[in-house]
Amino acid sequence: MAIVELESVKKVYTLGKAEVHAVRGVTFSIEKGDFASIVGPSGSGKSTILNMIGCIDQPTEGIVRINGTVTGGLKDKELTKLRHETLGFIFQSFNLIPVLNVYENIEFPLLLGKNRRSRKETREWIEFLIEAVGLADHMHHKSNELSGGQRQRVAIARALVTKPEIVLADEPTANLDSKTGQSIIELMKKMNSELNTTFIFSTHDRSIMEIADHVIQLLDGLIVEDSKTKAEAGSIS
Amino acid sequence: MFLTMKVAFRNISRQKKRSFLLAGAIAFGMMVITLMNALTGGAVINIRDNFSHALGGHVFITGREWTEAGQMIMKIRPDANLDRLLEENARQIEAFTRRSQAMPSLIFGSQQTMHLLYGVDFSEEDRLIDSLVVVEGSLAELGKRDDIIVLPEPVAERLGVEVGETVLIRLETLTGQQNVGEARVAAFIKDQEELGLSAAYTSRANLNSLLGMEPHEYQILNMFVTDLDLVDQFARTFREGLLSPEEAEEAEDEPEVTVTVAGMPIDPGTRTQEVTPWEGTRYQVMNINQIMEAVELVVGVLNRVGLVIFLILLVVTMVGITNTFRMIMIERTKEIGTMRAFGMQQKQVKRIFLWEAVLLGLLGCLGGLVIAGVIALAVGSVSLNTDPSLQFFLNNGRITFSLPLQDVAVNVALVILTSLLAAYWPARAAAKMSPMKALSSHT
């Protein structure tokens, strides 16, 4: 079952008098539970596609369907609600909220909407995530007291806290050294396997794209390859 | 709401120096207006107290009647109705005094001077006796004999009289005949001439005999009330209770009555219209608030000037807040994008900024009030040896501060409103920011 569908999607930006065709008409779908990677060189349209899937940008043409909902035409309030209920985000530069500590950063998305869990359940869930990303000893640290890798782990837990259907990660390892980057990808894979959350991440690092079971290769705003090789669940510890 | 407030609070503590400066600017404005209001509030109370003290009460009742010869005289005779009112309202009356008054020529040797003279029953004038500051002589004889007089020091100097010597009192009786009496000087007292209320004192029996009145008659009934807030209502009770049926009919056509405390009409609106003689005594009731109206008018103007200064300061601060919030918005663009990506609605983003403004405003108000309180305490503890005319605004030589809670509430509300207004546009701009553009920002 496709959880993300893009049909003939184009995106044109206007930069002064010039038009930039960031995405020139792409069609693909991502199944629920996929660990999908969008790869390509800089300027190939990876981030633009992730932004459109993430409902923070709208296509100029074509249809983006998230979990069955066509995002085009939705008002800001509806898009925000869709983001909150369906999507989680991991950013290249972590984007933690500096005034909040680890626990509060992870808790943050839960406080934005209606939280149906009890306070105890919420606490247990957040602590489980903190444990899962290996930051149990840093629960009350502020983001400026953490290393890059630790920050990205917080970001992963934050992305997962609302139990979203889809987690989008825009170059999650770009600001990390290769070893830390590898461990972050492995952590994401582990979460993908354990929680059956769909992960879509963009990268131009060939070594980490190989872990993905669905790779979409872009060049100049067009798909050059869309390959699926479903990896065995639980193969990464 | 809790989340936005929490983030706002953390944001304020994130940039301590900037928050301190902004809140400091607000605090300065708050301090100025608080001190100004408290100073004028305290001055009003002091002036009222000093007036009450000098005039011998908060509510003043005078009586007028027509003589057979067609002269209107100021006199209160024993009156069962007045006694009943005094009894019925005894709980609200702290003390009352009954005085006569005149503006006689005081003569000693070849010197003479006109001066206000009160005839008082010293047995009911404890407050007066306590307030008199004796420069020479003694008040021990007051109440024991009638033919004694207490003179303000400058009057004694003008006359060249010494304690123990006798002065002549020349005056017109109530019916206009010349009369002369004498009184022995018991003491010189410190004068309050600068208040325009300087007076000499003799026994009421002595003055009454010179004025052609019976010893139990008097001209002014002064009352100190227990609750000054109720003084208007209290005065009304007496005004209505002392109204004769004929007077009630005429009252609708008559302007507000005038009272002559200190020998002169206090109310400048003296009537010029013809008066039809009446039978019996007609009373005029006045209270301290009516005297204070002119003072309060001046205070009102001062407070308005203070408010204008405060508003100017607020506008300047508002510009500062708006600029700072614009800067903050730019600084936090990426953060706003992140929050929006995770599902924060536009109104929640706006709320964070508005909460920050409210918290800054509250911090500023609190700081301003604390600083004003400290200054008021410090200034209030100093005894000022100033020009005597300023003493009227002081309480025993000290500046006092009084600030009604509602004034504080109004000022705080003004600050909060201004802060909200100043932060509104940057908050709105932050809320309207596209999440995509915000996330791709480099700030």
Side-chain angles (χ1 to χ4, degrees):
Chain A
M1 181 195 146
I3 196 157
V4 174
E5 291 172 280
L6 273 73
E7 290 174 21
S8 311
V9 170
K10 291 182 182 174
K11 182 69 192 180
V12 182
Y13 293 114
T14 309
L15 274 179
K17 285 179 184 173
E19 281 192 341
V20 178
H21 294 262
V23 178
R24 294 167 183 269
V26 298
T27 300
F28 67 87
S29 62
I30 292 170
E31 302 295 313
K32 182 165 172 57
D34 270 4
F35 194 66
S37 167
I38 299 174
V39 296
S42 290
S44 60
K46 304 186 295 290
S47 296
T48 307
I49 287 174
L50 276 185
N51 284 344
M52 288 189 287
I53 296 171
C55 301
I56 55 177
D57 202 0
Q58 295 278 33
T60 314
E61 266 183 50
I63 293 171
V64 176
R65 196 176 284 118
I66 307 295
N67 209 12
T69 304
V70 177
T71 62
L74 290 183
K75 289 180 180 166
D76 182 83
K77 196 174 175 182
E78 294 158 335
L79 286 169
T80 306
K81 194 163 178 269
L82 183 65
R83 282 198 300 271
H84 181 251
E85 289 172 355
T86 316
L87 298 157
F89 293 86
I90 299 165
F91 302 99
Q92 181 181 332
S93 47
F94 328 123
N95 290 23
L96 299 183
I97 295 166
V99 289
L100 305 179
N101 63 27
V102 168
Y103 183 93
E104 290 165 335
N105 258 293
I106 296 168
E107 184 191 27
F108 181 79
L110 285 177
L111 302 173
L112 293 171
K114 283 177 188 161
N115 183 10
R116 290 177 184 84
R117 296 183 195 89
S118 69
R119 196 173 282 187
K120 184 169 174 263
E121 281 174 332
T122 303
R123 183 157 191 93
E124 281 170 1
W125 169 233
I126 295 168
E127 281 170 359
F128 165 78
L129 285 172
I130 292 174
E131 187 82 35
V133 298
L135 288 173
D137 296 337
H138 297 78
M139 203 185 289
H140 300 292
H141 286 57
K142 290 268 174 68
S143 62
N144 59 2
E145 296 162 348
L146 303 173
S147 68
Q150 285 170 327
R151 288 182 202 189
Q152 201 58 304
R153 285 166 184 273
V154 177
I156 291 168
R158 179 178 63 177
L160 291 165
V161 75
T162 53
K163 295 188 177 166
E165 301 279 351
I166 307 155
V167 171
L168 300 169
D170 190 6
E171 308 230 19
T173 60
N175 280 353
L176 302 172
D177 59 71
S178 58
K179 195 180 162 197
T180 313
Q182 188 69 30
S183 73
I184 288 295
I185 290 295
E186 284 172 5
L187 178 63
M188 283 166 53
K189 181 66 185 169
K190 182 184 157 200
M191 292 302 184
N192 163 250
S193 308
E194 288 178 0
L195 304 171
N196 197 31
T197 305
T198 308
F199 272 77
I200 306 169
F201 63 98
S202 66
T203 184
H204 54 258
D205 186 341
R206 290 210 150 265
S207 65
I208 60 167
M209 78 175 71
E210 284 162 9
I211 299 172
D213 47 36
H214 184 170
V215 178
I216 298 160
Q217 287 204 44
L218 294 175
L219 186 67
D220 296 333
L222 288 168
I223 294 175
V224 291
E225 193 183 337
D226 184 350
S227 59
K228 292 184 184 179
T229 50
K230 192 81 176 172
E232 281 185 34
S235 62
I236 294 166
S237 57
Chain B
M1 186 180 280
F2 178 71
L3 173 73
T4 51
M5 206 203 290
K6 183 176 171 180
V7 174
F9 183 75
R10 299 277 180 89
N11 283 340
I12 282 182
S13 46
R14 188 195 320 195
Q15 286 281 354
K16 288 192 180 68
K17 196 174 174 186
R18 186 164 59 193
S19 301
F20 178 79
L21 285 173
L22 270 182
I26 295 170
F28 179 73
M30 191 70 187
M31 181 199 75
V32 170
I33 188 73
T34 303
L35 279 178
M36 196 129 182
N37 284 350
L39 190 67
T40 49
V44 167
I45 290 172
N46 291 342
I47 292 169
R48 189 160 60 182
D49 284 352
N50 290 334
F51 253 124
S52 305
H53 208 66
L55 298 177
H58 299 129
V59 176
F60 318 100
I61 299 177
T62 54
R64 294 170 299 157
E65 63 177 50
W66 291 92
T67 62
E68 286 174 2
Q71 273 181 304
M72 190 170 68
I73 58 169
M74 205 171 108
K75 181 200 275 193
I76 299 176
R77 296 169 186 272
D79 183 338
N81 188 32
L82 180 56
D83 291 343
R84 178 187 59 79
L85 280 168
L86 285 171
E87 199 176 320
E88 281 176 5
N89 295 284
R91 276 189 189 173
Q92 287 175 268
I93 302 170
E94 200 177 302
F96 67 85
T97 60
R98 287 164 289 202
R99 293 180 178 183
S100 298
Q101 64 183 37
M103 188 63 99
S105 289
L106 301 172
I107 305 163
F108 182 73
S110 61
Q111 301 298 320
Q112 67 171 332
T113 180
M114 277 183 84
H115 207 78
L116 174 65
L117 176 64
Y118 279 125
V120 302
D121 179 350
F122 288 106
S123 63
E124 61 182 25
E125 293 273 7
D126 291 343
R127 278 167 176 265
L128 173 69
I129 293 169
D130 288 345
S131 72
L132 295 179
V133 180
V134 179
V135 180
E136 199 183 325
S138 159
L139 302 178
E141 277 187 294
L142 299 183
K144 289 179 186 163
R145 40 187 298 189
D146 291 334
D147 60 338
I148 54 172
I149 189 166
V150 176
L151 291 177
E153 194 180 15
V155 174
E157 280 171 10
R158 278 201 293 277
L159 292 173
V161 69
E162 296 291 335
V163 169
E165 292 179 317
T166 301
V167 291
L168 288 178
I169 304 169
R170 190 177 71 202
L171 44 62
E172 279 188 358
T173 62
L174 288 187
T175 50
Q177 286 126 12
Q178 292 290 319
N179 200 2
V180 180
E182 55 182 33
R184 197 169 63 81
V185 178
F188 300 154
I189 52 170
K190 203 170 177 184
D191 192 33
Q192 287 185 307
E193 200 162 32
E194 66 276 0
L195 308 182
L197 295 164
S198 168
Y201 298 91
T202 185
S203 71
R204 194 173 75 211
N206 187 28
L207 186 58
N208 278 7
S209 73
L210 291 171
L211 287 168
M213 290 164 67
E214 296 297 323
H216 53 272
E217 292 173 342
Y218 53 99
Q219 289 180 299
I220 314 164
L221 173 66
N222 298 330
M223 289 180 280
F224 285 99
V225 295
T226 49
D227 186 355
L228 257 180
D229 291 339
L230 297 175
V231 71
D232 286 322
Q233 193 190 327
F234 179 83
R236 200 177 310 122
T237 306
F238 274 80
R239 194 173 294 127
E240 286 166 4
L242 292 169
L243 217 57
S244 65
E246 303 81 40
E247 222 177 337
E249 280 176 26
E250 294 166 19
E252 290 177 10
D253 307 323
E254 275 192 45
E256 189 64 32
V257 290
T258 308
V259 70
T260 52
V261 179
M264 300 292 283
I266 286 174
D267 186 349
T270 311
R271 286 175 294 163
T272 51
Q273 70 186 72
E274 294 253 333
V275 181
T276 316
W278 58 80
E279 287 205 356
T281 306
R282 286 194 175 180
Y283 294 96
Q284 296 174 329
V285 182
M286 196 161 177
N287 71 61
I288 194 78
N289 283 351
Q290 286 168 280
I291 299 168
M292 289 296 293
E293 271 170 14
V295 176
E296 278 169 0
L297 192 74
V298 175
V299 167
V301 170
L302 275 175
N303 279 341
R304 273 187 208 106
V305 170
L307 188 66
V308 169
I309 295 170
F310 182 50
L311 287 176
I312 292 170
L313 282 170
L314 276 186
V315 168
V316 174
T317 313
M318 194 172 145
V319 172
I321 293 176
T322 305
N323 281 335
T324 310
F325 272 75
R326 274 180 200 282
M327 224 155 66
I328 289 172
M329 187 191 82
I330 294 164
E331 276 174 18
R332 297 193 201 145
T333 303
K334 200 160 219 163
E335 206 175 304
I336 294 165
T338 308
M339 293 193 288
R340 296 277 287 124
F342 276 101
M344 183 172 265
Q345 294 287 0
Q346 289 184 347
K347 62 179 180 189
Q348 289 175 297
V349 174
K350 190 161 46 171
R351 229 176 263 160
I352 290 178
F353 280 79
L354 295 181
W355 269 121
E356 279 185 48
V358 169
L359 290 171
L360 269 176
L362 282 175
L363 271 175
C365 287
L366 193 70
L369 287 172
V370 168
I371 298 167
V374 170
I375 292 175
L377 271 177
V379 173
S381 65
V382 178
S383 186
L384 301 172
N385 192 15
T386 57
D387 189 281
S389 58
L390 281 179
Q391 294 295 327
F392 207 45
F393 299 93
L394 309 176
N395 180 8
N396 291 327
R398 290 175 204 273
I399 294 175
T400 51
F401 296 86
S402 169
L403 188 63
L405 215 59
Q406 70 211 42
D407 284 8
V408 177
V410 167
N411 292 340
V412 170
L414 258 176
V415 168
I416 303 297
L417 201 72
T418 317
S419 307
L420 277 174
L421 208 65
Y424 182 77
W425 297 108
R428 190 168 175 267
K432 294 271 178 197
M433 205 185 286
S434 143
M436 202 259 307
K437 282 184 185 161
L439 281 168
S440 56
S441 143
H442 294 290
T443 53

